[in-house]
Each structure stands twice: as C-alpha cells, then as structure tokens.
Amino acid sequence: MNATPHVLTNLTAATLRQDAGPYGLIEDAAIALEGDTIRWVGPRNALPDDLRAVPPQDLGGRMVTPGLIDCHTHLVHGGNRAAEFEMRLQGATYEQVARAGGGIVSTVSATRGASAAELLDSALRRADALIAEGVTTIEVKSGYGLDVETELRMLRVARDLAVQRPVRVRTSFLGAHAIPPEYKDRADAYIDEVCIPALRASHSEGLVDAVDGFCEGIAFSPEQISRVFDVAGDLGLPVKLHAEQLSNLGGAALAARYGALSADHIEYLDDAGVSAMARAGTVAVLLPGAFYTLRETQVPPVQALRDQGVPIALATDANPGSSPLTSLLLAMNMGCTLFRLTPEEALRGVTLNAARALGLKDTGTIAAGQRADLAVWDIAHPAELAYRMGFNPLHSRIFGGIA
Ligand code: DI6
Ligand code: FE
C-alpha cells in the first residue's frame, strides 16, 4: 500500500511503550500514519526528511494515546435487570438472586426472545457509549443464549457491530456461562449436548476468537471447564476464564495450565494462582464495575500480581446484571480508587495489557507498525483520564488511520 502519509504534530504522545519512561510519554511529538498503520512516532524535531515535507495536521497541543480497548464485555444481550437491582437493594445477594432463577438466567430468556435486529439495536447503543470515550477495540462474549441457535445469533450480532461502526470486535464463546433452566442439575449434560456442539458450530462459522467460561459454584466446575477447554485446544482457539470472582475454585491456575490469555475478576485469587498466571503469561483482567455493583469487599491481590509481574488489564464487564457499566474511563477511575492501581497502570490496563488479554499484538501502543488506532484528548496529563468521574475529555478518535 502506498497511501500518502498523514503527519500529526503539536501533540504529546502517551505511547505506553514499555522501554520508555512513565506512560511512554513524548512531549512535542509527531506521529506519521500511512494507510491503517503507524509509520513513525517520536519527537517532532527528529521527524525523517520525507515526512517533514508533508503538510502536518496541528493537534493544538493535545494528548494522544492508543485507542482504548475494552477487553471484557457482555455487550450483546436482551432486556435489563433493573428489577434485580431493586431486589438486591432490599437485601438479596447476587447468588441468592441467581439461585432463585433470576440473574443470568433471566437475561437468557430475554436474549432468546430477541431478534438479531433487536439485539443489534440495543448493543449498538452501548457500543456507541464506549466508542464516544475513545474505544477502538471491544471484546464481546456470547453466553446469554445457552442453546446453539441463540449463541450463534449473539456472536453474529457481535461481529455485525464492527460492520455498523468503526470499531474492531473480538468475540469470545461463553457457552459455559450458566446452566439454562432446561438443564437444571444436569450441568454435565449441558456441556456435552449444548455447549460443546455450539462451540463447534460457532467456530465453523468463523465466529469465535477465544473460548471463555465461568468457573464458580453457581456455574461450572473446573472439571467441566476443562472439557470445554480441551475442545478449544482441538480447534486451535485460545482460552480465558471468569475465575475466583465469588470464591476460590482454582480457576485461574486451571486457565494458566491451558496457557490462557487471561483470567478475569480474580478477587479470590491466592498466591498459587498468581504464580501459575505469572508462569503462563496469563493477563489479570480486573473488573471493578462488578466489584462495585456487588459491593464486594475482597479486593484482587494487586500487589502480588505486581510482585510476580502478571500484566494487569481493566475492563467494564458491561453486562445487565453485575456490571451495567459502559464507561471504560469510569472503570479506570474505579480501578484506581477501589483497587489502588496507579493511573498509569489503569491506562496500561485499557491499552497494552488489554491487547494482550485478547492476544492482539498490533494494537495497544503507539509505535511504528502498530494499527493506527488512536484517541486524542483535551487533557494536559494522562493521569487526568483516570482522575475524573463522569466527564469525557475525548477530542477525536482515529480508527485504522481514519479520523
Ligand atoms: N461474571 C460476571 O460478572 C458476569 N458473568 C460472569 O460470569 C455477570 C453476568 C450477569 O450477571 O448477567
Ligand atoms: Fe464477565
């Protein structure tokens, strides 16, 4: 491709490159884009001669970061759970609601009853909220169908989001999310008769980038998750897992044994789980929106993750039950205030480490050869992104080189 380069100047670049200083910051920087790729980034006075000849676009001293990445969402679903919110405010716990047939299973009925067009319509509203905050990549899970047909419909709708909007979508198959009412007390049969066939069908339609599961007392055992992960391995798909959210079943260590991209939630993760993740290079995806909504008190072991060099990502977990959150900036703020991440860790968590949690190597930093997915902000310092609540300082977004 011989596209004319596009040169951006009069900006500060928070490149997030790891070999650079805090935030990988470059003051008075220039960024050159060519087609959908970043060709060059560095101090403006070091611009190569051929790029100096191109009339630049002046960004007025603004801050440029990589486009943000929401690496854990359940964006596609029918209905909402405001009634359950009210029940929990009257004292019911998330687990009690789930065991009483509410919770995830009530979203399953609403999702089964929704057409693809209805699912797309409501998911686009939520995707637009993310995109408006500079998000350029969104992960979307299935898991509210729990039958072959509806799991496929959810994944097709997820893929369609990237046709309807300038955003990249990565899909995760989450058939092992909950046990549907027709398989009550027959979780093993559900795995064999529905989950695994739905995974194979979704994969053969090219709808699956990774395989996820919910390993928990109210969901699936480590043994059941293993059976799904074995099939993922046969299909050549990477895995990730909702692990140690409400209790410790050793899910993160199990995921690490399968070389998982990420283990997500992990409030109840122990030292052995942290070590297993460190050895496998599994990313810790922290989801403060769910922690906040469920009024969880056990915080994830952030210091142990740091000490053992486990990369930390942050995401919204956007879902109608435990995290009705569609602001990645607010997730960053919550990551700092509730989990004591630094603002730099929060930004790394929604860029470079979020990319890793999705197995993506071409996004998440500003560097030559990366995709030209950028966010331009009206801020003076990158810490401002995590600092405010309910304020959106996005100036503009560049997706695949296009503003
Ligand atoms: N953990 C979560 O936080 C979401 N799924 C999961 O496995 C919650 C999904 C929901 O409550 O609808
Ligand atoms: Fe989730």
Side-chain angles (χ1 to χ4, degrees):
M1 256 203 304
N2 271 331
T4 322
H6 183 78
V7 177
L8 310 170
T9 57
N10 194 14
L11 62 100
T12 304
T15 67
L16 277 303
R17 278 173 37 193
Q18 283 182 307
D19 51 353
Y23 298 94
L25 218 56
I26 306 173
E27 307 276 356
D28 196 10
I31 302 172
L33 314 177
E34 199 166 87
D36 63 4
T37 306
I38 297 170
R39 176 164 143 199
W40 189 90
V41 57
R44 168 161 46 176
N45 61 20
L47 253 184
D49 284 342
D50 62 320
L51 294 174
R52 229 175 257 273
V54 178
Q57 180 184 353
D58 184 320
L59 287 190
R62 294 189 173 87
M63 179 72 55
V64 181
T65 66
L68 305 189
I69 300 169
D70 194 348
C71 68
H72 180 141
T73 86
H74 307 251
L75 218 60
V76 174
H77 58 79
N80 72 67
R81 305 239 290 277
E84 172 184 325
F85 178 58
E86 292 186 310
M87 275 171 72
R88 281 190 284 106
L89 283 168
Q90 281 157 21
T93 68
Y94 183 70
E95 280 168 289
Q96 284 163 347
V97 171
R99 290 189 192 283
I104 293 176
V105 162
S106 72
T107 298
V108 171
S109 321
T111 304
R112 287 178 177 176
S115 67
E118 288 164 343
L119 291 175
L120 179 65
D121 216 48
S122 70
L124 279 172
R125 299 286 302 271
R126 297 184 277 271
D128 285 340
L130 295 173
I131 290 168
E133 289 187 344
V135 170
T136 51
T137 299
I138 307 175
E139 184 262 15
V140 181
K141 302 176 194 300
S142 71
Y144 289 123
L146 311 183
D147 61 34
V148 178
E149 184 195 317
T150 314
E151 288 293 301
L152 283 165
R153 185 157 78 249
M154 287 186 72
L155 291 168
R156 290 185 198 122
V157 168
R159 286 272 199 251
D160 203 10
L161 293 172
V163 176
Q164 305 295 327
R165 293 292 187 271
V167 72
R168 176 135 75 142
V169 167
R170 300 293 285 181
T171 51
S172 301
F173 175 82
L174 179 56
H177 190 198
I179 299 150
E182 64 275 20
Y183 279 91
K184 193 169 176 344
D185 302 322
R186 294 191 298 134
D188 283 309
Y190 169 75
I191 294 286
D192 295 333
E193 293 167 19
V194 179
C195 182
I196 290 173
L199 170 55
R200 291 188 188 282
S202 305
H203 173 69
S204 64
E205 256 193 55
L207 294 171
V208 185
D209 297 314
V211 175
D212 199 347
F214 187 19
C215 187
E216 194 59 65
I218 55 170
F220 296 95
S221 69
E223 191 276 325
Q224 289 158 344
I225 295 293
S226 291
R227 283 197 280 135
V228 179
F229 282 3
D230 286 337
V231 177
D234 291 345
L235 299 175
L237 293 169
V239 301
K240 42 179 55 240
L241 190 63
H242 288 68
E244 274 78 84
Q245 180 185 5
L246 309 169
S247 64
N248 181 1
L249 299 184
L254 166 87
R257 281 201 293 284
Y258 283 85
L261 292 172
S262 69
D264 302 38
H265 287 287
I266 59 169
E267 278 86 343
Y268 288 83
L269 184 67
D270 60 16
D271 280 342
V274 176
S275 305
M277 289 175 67
R279 281 195 301 275
T282 298
V283 176
V285 178
L286 307 186
L287 303 167
F291 175 92
Y292 167 87
T293 300
L294 302 182
R295 302 180 77 230
E296 182 56 72
T297 51
Q298 168 113 0
V299 296
V302 169
Q303 193 54 46
L305 294 168
R306 284 183 187 127
D307 291 345
Q308 298 213 39
V310 176
I312 298 173
L314 270 176
T316 61
D317 196 15
N319 77 64
S322 67
S323 189
L325 171 65
T326 46
S327 168
L328 196 53
L329 291 177
L330 185 54
M332 291 170 70
N333 173 271
M334 289 175 164
C336 295
T337 299
L338 300 174
F339 298 162
R340 313 313 282 165
L341 296 183
T342 67
E344 184 179 356
E345 287 172 323
L347 185 54
R348 227 171 258 292
V350 297
T351 54
L352 177 59
N353 290 342
R356 288 187 185 174
L358 298 178
L360 296 174
K361 294 197 167 66
D362 63 349
T363 189
T365 65
I366 305 179
Q370 289 265 290
R371 258 182 71 87
D373 290 350
L374 301 170
V376 182
W377 307 94
D378 281 315
I379 58 174
H381 191 278
E384 289 176 54
L385 294 178
Y387 153 69
R388 289 200 172 83
M389 291 179 284
F391 181 77
N392 181 6
L394 189 78
H395 170 268
S396 53
R397 209 184 64 122
I398 296 172
F399 178 72
I402 297 168

PDB file of all heavy atoms in Angstrom, residues 207-227:
ATOM      1  N   LEU A 207     -16.911 -17.552  13.899  1.00  0.00           N
ATOM      2  CA  LEU A 207     -17.439 -16.535  14.813  1.00  0.00           C
ATOM      3  C   LEU A 207     -16.677 -16.438  16.138  1.00  0.00           C
ATOM      4  O   LEU A 207     -17.067 -15.657  17.004  1.00  0.00           O
ATOM      5  CB  LEU A 207     -18.912 -16.853  15.125  1.00  0.00           C
ATOM      6  CG  LEU A 207     -19.902 -16.740  13.954  1.00  0.00           C
ATOM      7  CD1 LEU A 207     -21.272 -17.285  14.349  1.00  0.00           C
ATOM      8  CD2 LEU A 207     -20.009 -15.285  13.503  1.00  0.00           C
ATOM      9  N   VAL A 208     -15.627 -17.243  16.321  1.00  0.00           N
ATOM     10  CA  VAL A 208     -15.000 -17.326  17.642  1.00  0.00           C
ATOM     11  C   VAL A 208     -13.515 -16.965  17.587  1.00  0.00           C
ATOM     12  O   VAL A 208     -12.755 -17.563  16.831  1.00  0.00           O
ATOM     13  CB  VAL A 208     -15.134 -18.762  18.209  1.00  0.00           C
ATOM     14  CG1 VAL A 208     -14.581 -18.821  19.643  1.00  0.00           C
ATOM     15  CG2 VAL A 208     -16.572 -19.242  18.179  1.00  0.00           C
ATOM     16  N   ASP A 209     -13.121 -15.978  18.410  1.00  0.00           N
ATOM     17  CA  ASP A 209     -11.699 -15.656  18.545  1.00  0.00           C
ATOM     18  C   ASP A 209     -11.086 -16.289  19.791  1.00  0.00           C
ATOM     19  O   ASP A 209      -9.880 -16.476  19.859  1.00  0.00           O
ATOM     20  CB  ASP A 209     -11.510 -14.130  18.614  1.00  0.00           C
ATOM     21  CG  ASP A 209     -11.961 -13.443  17.327  1.00  0.00           C
ATOM     22  OD1 ASP A 209     -11.590 -13.934  16.247  1.00  0.00           O
ATOM     23  OD2 ASP A 209     -12.676 -12.429  17.409  1.00  0.00           O
ATOM     24  N   ALA A 210     -11.893 -16.556  20.810  1.00  0.00           N
ATOM     25  CA  ALA A 210     -11.390 -17.173  22.039  1.00  0.00           C
ATOM     26  C   ALA A 210     -12.554 -17.870  22.741  1.00  0.00           C
ATOM     27  O   ALA A 210     -13.720 -17.608  22.431  1.00  0.00           O
ATOM     28  CB  ALA A 210     -10.788 -16.115  22.968  1.00  0.00           C
ATOM     29  N   VAL A 211     -12.211 -18.765  23.666  1.00  0.00           N
ATOM     30  CA  VAL A 211     -13.231 -19.512  24.413  1.00  0.00           C
ATOM     31  C   VAL A 211     -13.123 -19.145  25.888  1.00  0.00           C
ATOM     32  O   VAL A 211     -12.038 -19.185  26.472  1.00  0.00           O
ATOM     33  CB  VAL A 211     -13.037 -21.033  24.207  1.00  0.00           C
ATOM     34  CG1 VAL A 211     -14.008 -21.818  25.083  1.00  0.00           C
ATOM     35  CG2 VAL A 211     -13.240 -21.384  22.736  1.00  0.00           C
ATOM     36  N   ASP A 212     -14.266 -18.773  26.474  1.00  0.00           N
ATOM     37  CA  ASP A 212     -14.330 -18.303  27.855  1.00  0.00           C
ATOM     38  C   ASP A 212     -15.228 -19.248  28.657  1.00  0.00           C
ATOM     39  O   ASP A 212     -15.937 -20.092  28.084  1.00  0.00           O
ATOM     40  CB  ASP A 212     -14.916 -16.875  27.841  1.00  0.00           C
ATOM     41  CG  ASP A 212     -14.647 -16.078  29.103  1.00  0.00           C
ATOM     42  OD1 ASP A 212     -14.225 -16.653  30.117  1.00  0.00           O
ATOM     43  OD2 ASP A 212     -14.899 -14.851  29.061  1.00  0.00           O
ATOM     44  N   GLY A 213     -15.215 -19.118  29.972  1.00  0.00           N
ATOM     45  CA  GLY A 213     -16.101 -19.904  30.813  1.00  0.00           C
ATOM     46  C   GLY A 213     -16.290 -19.195  32.143  1.00  0.00           C
ATOM     47  O   GLY A 213     -15.589 -18.223  32.437  1.00  0.00           O
ATOM     48  N   PHE A 214     -17.263 -19.667  32.924  1.00  0.00           N
ATOM     49  CA  PHE A 214     -17.490 -19.112  34.267  1.00  0.00           C
ATOM     50  C   PHE A 214     -17.302 -20.262  35.241  1.00  0.00           C
ATOM     51  O   PHE A 214     -18.130 -21.173  35.316  1.00  0.00           O
ATOM     52  CB  PHE A 214     -18.905 -18.523  34.344  1.00  0.00           C
ATOM     53  CG  PHE A 214     -19.231 -17.760  35.603  1.00  0.00           C
ATOM     54  CD1 PHE A 214     -18.238 -17.261  36.444  1.00  0.00           C
ATOM     55  CD2 PHE A 214     -20.555 -17.499  35.943  1.00  0.00           C
ATOM     56  CE1 PHE A 214     -18.553 -16.537  37.591  1.00  0.00           C
ATOM     57  CE2 PHE A 214     -20.893 -16.776  37.082  1.00  0.00           C
ATOM     58  CZ  PHE A 214     -19.886 -16.296  37.908  1.00  0.00           C
ATOM     59  N   CYS A 215     -16.178 -20.236  35.960  1.00  0.00           N
ATOM     60  CA  CYS A 215     -15.834 -21.302  36.885  1.00  0.00           C
ATOM     61  C   CYS A 215     -16.233 -20.829  38.281  1.00  0.00           C
ATOM     62  O   CYS A 215     -15.576 -19.963  38.859  1.00  0.00           O
ATOM     63  CB  CYS A 215     -14.324 -21.564  36.807  1.00  0.00           C
ATOM     64  SG  CYS A 215     -13.792 -22.984  37.758  1.00  0.00           S
ATOM     65  N   GLU A 216     -17.338 -21.354  38.788  1.00  0.00           N
ATOM     66  CA  GLU A 216     -17.884 -20.833  40.047  1.00  0.00           C
ATOM     67  C   GLU A 216     -18.916 -21.810  40.583  1.00  0.00           C
ATOM     68  O   GLU A 216     -19.488 -22.592  39.809  1.00  0.00           O
ATOM     69  CB  GLU A 216     -18.531 -19.461  39.769  1.00  0.00           C
ATOM     70  CG  GLU A 216     -18.856 -18.621  40.978  1.00  0.00           C
ATOM     71  CD  GLU A 216     -17.637 -18.294  41.838  1.00  0.00           C
ATOM     72  OE1 GLU A 216     -16.737 -17.578  41.367  1.00  0.00           O
ATOM     73  OE2 GLU A 216     -17.604 -18.788  42.987  1.00  0.00           O
ATOM     74  N   GLY A 217     -19.157 -21.772  41.897  1.00  0.00           N
ATOM     75  CA  GLY A 217     -20.170 -22.621  42.499  1.00  0.00           C
ATOM     76  C   GLY A 217     -21.530 -22.497  41.818  1.00  0.00           C
ATOM     77  O   GLY A 217     -22.244 -23.493  41.664  1.00  0.00           O
ATOM     78  N   ILE A 218     -21.914 -21.276  41.397  1.00  0.00           N
ATOM     79  CA  ILE A 218     -23.224 -21.085  40.757  1.00  0.00           C
ATOM     80  C   ILE A 218     -23.156 -21.346  39.253  1.00  0.00           C
ATOM     81  O   ILE A 218     -24.146 -21.167  38.552  1.00  0.00           O
ATOM     82  CB  ILE A 218     -23.803 -19.670  40.994  1.00  0.00           C
ATOM     83  CG1 ILE A 218     -22.819 -18.582  40.535  1.00  0.00           C
ATOM     84  CG2 ILE A 218     -24.208 -19.480  42.440  1.00  0.00           C
ATOM     85  CD1 ILE A 218     -23.415 -17.177  40.514  1.00  0.00           C
ATOM     86  N   ALA A 219     -21.987 -21.781  38.771  1.00  0.00           N
ATOM     87  CA  ALA A 219     -21.863 -22.017  37.328  1.00  0.00           C
ATOM     88  C   ALA A 219     -21.195 -23.381  37.087  1.00  0.00           C
ATOM     89  O   ALA A 219     -21.812 -24.403  37.372  1.00  0.00           O
ATOM     90  CB  ALA A 219     -21.099 -20.877  36.672  1.00  0.00           C
ATOM     91  N   PHE A 220     -19.951 -23.411  36.598  1.00  0.00           N
ATOM     92  CA  PHE A 220     -19.335 -24.685  36.198  1.00  0.00           C
ATOM     93  C   PHE A 220     -18.081 -25.004  37.011  1.00  0.00           C
ATOM     94  O   PHE A 220     -17.338 -24.111  37.420  1.00  0.00           O
ATOM     95  CB  PHE A 220     -19.018 -24.650  34.698  1.00  0.00           C
ATOM     96  CG  PHE A 220     -20.269 -24.533  33.878  1.00  0.00           C
ATOM     97  CD1 PHE A 220     -20.727 -23.291  33.452  1.00  0.00           C
ATOM     98  CD2 PHE A 220     -21.049 -25.661  33.604  1.00  0.00           C
ATOM     99  CE1 PHE A 220     -21.911 -23.179  32.742  1.00  0.00           C
ATOM    100  CE2 PHE A 220     -22.237 -25.551  32.902  1.00  0.00           C
ATOM    101  CZ  PHE A 220     -22.665 -24.307  32.466  1.00  0.00           C
ATOM    102  N   SER A 221     -17.865 -26.314  37.209  1.00  0.00           N
ATOM    103  CA  SER A 221     -16.718 -26.782  37.995  1.00  0.00           C
ATOM    104  C   SER A 221     -15.458 -26.743  37.128  1.00  0.00           C
ATOM    105  O   SER A 221     -15.542 -26.726  35.898  1.00  0.00           O
ATOM    106  CB  SER A 221     -16.978 -28.219  38.451  1.00  0.00           C
ATOM    107  OG  SER A 221     -16.940 -29.080  37.321  1.00  0.00           O
ATOM    108  N   PRO A 222     -14.294 -26.793  37.778  1.00  0.00           N
ATOM    109  CA  PRO A 222     -13.048 -26.842  36.998  1.00  0.00           C
ATOM    110  C   PRO A 222     -13.044 -28.017  36.021  1.00  0.00           C
ATOM    111  O   PRO A 222     -12.577 -27.885  34.882  1.00  0.00           O
ATOM    112  CB  PRO A 222     -11.970 -27.011  38.078  1.00  0.00           C
ATOM    113  CG  PRO A 222     -12.559 -26.375  39.295  1.00  0.00           C
ATOM    114  CD  PRO A 222     -14.039 -26.665  39.227  1.00  0.00           C
ATOM    115  N   GLU A 223     -13.604 -29.138  36.432  1.00  0.00           N
ATOM    116  CA  GLU A 223     -13.608 -30.310  35.551  1.00  0.00           C
ATOM    117  C   GLU A 223     -14.455 -30.053  34.299  1.00  0.00           C
ATOM    118  O   GLU A 223     -14.074 -30.406  33.180  1.00  0.00           O
ATOM    119  CB  GLU A 223     -14.118 -31.515  36.354  1.00  0.00           C
ATOM    120  CG  GLU A 223     -13.941 -32.860  35.671  1.00  0.00           C
ATOM    121  CD  GLU A 223     -15.076 -33.177  34.699  1.00  0.00           C
ATOM    122  OE1 GLU A 223     -16.238 -32.801  34.972  1.00  0.00           O
ATOM    123  OE2 GLU A 223     -14.780 -33.793  33.648  1.00  0.00           O
ATOM    124  N   GLN A 224     -15.602 -29.414  34.501  1.00  0.00           N
ATOM    125  CA  GLN A 224     -16.472 -29.105  33.348  1.00  0.00           C
ATOM    126  C   GLN A 224     -15.813 -28.076  32.426  1.00  0.00           C
ATOM    127  O   GLN A 224     -15.867 -28.210  31.197  1.00  0.00           O
ATOM    128  CB  GLN A 224     -17.842 -28.602  33.843  1.00  0.00           C
ATOM    129  CG  GLN A 224     -18.656 -29.738  34.472  1.00  0.00           C
ATOM    130  CD  GLN A 224     -19.740 -29.265  35.437  1.00  0.00           C
ATOM    131  OE1 GLN A 224     -19.750 -28.116  35.891  1.00  0.00           O
ATOM    132  NE2 GLN A 224     -20.652 -30.168  35.771  1.00  0.00           N
ATOM    133  N   ILE A 225     -15.181 -27.078  33.021  1.00  0.00           N
ATOM    134  CA  ILE A 225     -14.480 -26.069  32.207  1.00  0.00           C
ATOM    135  C   ILE A 225     -13.364 -26.741  31.407  1.00  0.00           C
ATOM    136  O   ILE A 225     -13.158 -26.438  30.218  1.00  0.00           O
ATOM    137  CB  ILE A 225     -13.903 -24.949  33.113  1.00  0.00           C
ATOM    138  CG1 ILE A 225     -15.020 -24.163  33.796  1.00  0.00           C
ATOM    139  CG2 ILE A 225     -12.975 -24.026  32.320  1.00  0.00           C
ATOM    140  CD1 ILE A 225     -15.906 -23.333  32.897  1.00  0.00           C
ATOM    141  N   SER A 226     -12.662 -27.687  32.031  1.00  0.00           N
ATOM    142  CA  SER A 226     -11.567 -28.395  31.326  1.00  0.00           C
ATOM    143  C   SER A 226     -12.067 -29.070  30.061  1.00  0.00           C
ATOM    144  O   SER A 226     -11.377 -29.079  29.051  1.00  0.00           O
ATOM    145  CB  SER A 226     -10.967 -29.500  32.195  1.00  0.00           C
ATOM    146  OG  SER A 226     -10.292 -28.944  33.253  1.00  0.00           O
ATOM    147  N   ARG A 227     -13.259 -29.631  30.153  1.00  0.00           N
ATOM    148  CA  ARG A 227     -13.768 -30.340  28.965  1.00  0.00           C
ATOM    149  C   ARG A 227     -14.010 -29.364  27.817  1.00  0.00           C
ATOM    150  O   ARG A 227     -13.750 -29.683  26.661  1.00  0.00           O
ATOM    151  CB  ARG A 227     -15.032 -31.125  29.323  1.00  0.00           C
ATOM    152  CG  ARG A 227     -14.654 -32.406  30.085  1.00  0.00           C
ATOM    153  CD  ARG A 227     -15.782 -33.395  30.088  1.00  0.00           C
ATOM    154  NE  ARG A 227     -16.741 -33.020  31.112  1.00  0.00           N
ATOM    155  CZ  ARG A 227     -18.060 -33.004  30.937  1.00  0.00           C
ATOM    156  NH1 ARG A 227     -18.576 -33.339  29.774  1.00  0.00           N
ATOM    157  NH2 ARG A 227     -18.851 -32.655  31.928  1.00  0.00           N
TER     158      ARG A 227
END
